[in-house]
Amino acid sequence: MADLGHDGGMLAARMVGATAGAWVSLVYLLPESWKEAVSRFLTGACCGVMFGAPVGIWLSERLGLVGQLTALETALSGSAAASLSAWWVLGALVRMAGRFGAKPDTEKQS
């Protein structure tokens, strides 16, 4: 489990990475309303802070970068990746729900 303990530098790296991922996602997949933007930003930031370290470790192992990145770089890049993914997935789900959601019945039943 990711530890949000007392290491201020690690928490700061996660927050910066999560924020950067959220802003990149805003440009990558523009929201349709300010409510959607706020919702996606907060979700991305929270996911980036919470899952940044595990995602960073997983990415560094998959890319063969273990031992080449510092812990802060791993947390920063992992937070950005987790935030970016959360934004994209949430945005896609919102748009799919809008397209394929229940349609209001326009006919009156007697």
Side-chain angles (χ1 to χ4, degrees), residues 20-58:
W23 284 116
V24 168
S25 295
L26 177 62
V27 173
Y28 181 68
L29 184 64
L30 293 173
E32 292 183 0
S33 69
W34 68 270
K35 289 180 183 180
E36 181 184 348
V38 169
S39 173
R40 286 171 45 201
F41 180 80
L42 292 176
T43 300
C46 290
C47 287
V49 170
M50 287 188 291
F51 302 114
V55 170
I57 292 168
W58 180 79

Side-chain angles (χ1 to χ4, degrees), residues 63-102:
L63 297 173
L65 298 173
V66 175
Q68 297 178 16
L69 299 175
T70 66
L72 289 176
E73 291 170 328
T74 302
L76 180 73
S77 59
S79 293
S83 179
L84 180 68
S85 299
W87 264 77
W88 189 85
V89 169
L90 183 60
L93 288 175
V94 166
R95 290 190 179 166
M96 282 180 20
R99 280 190 208 144
F100 302 113

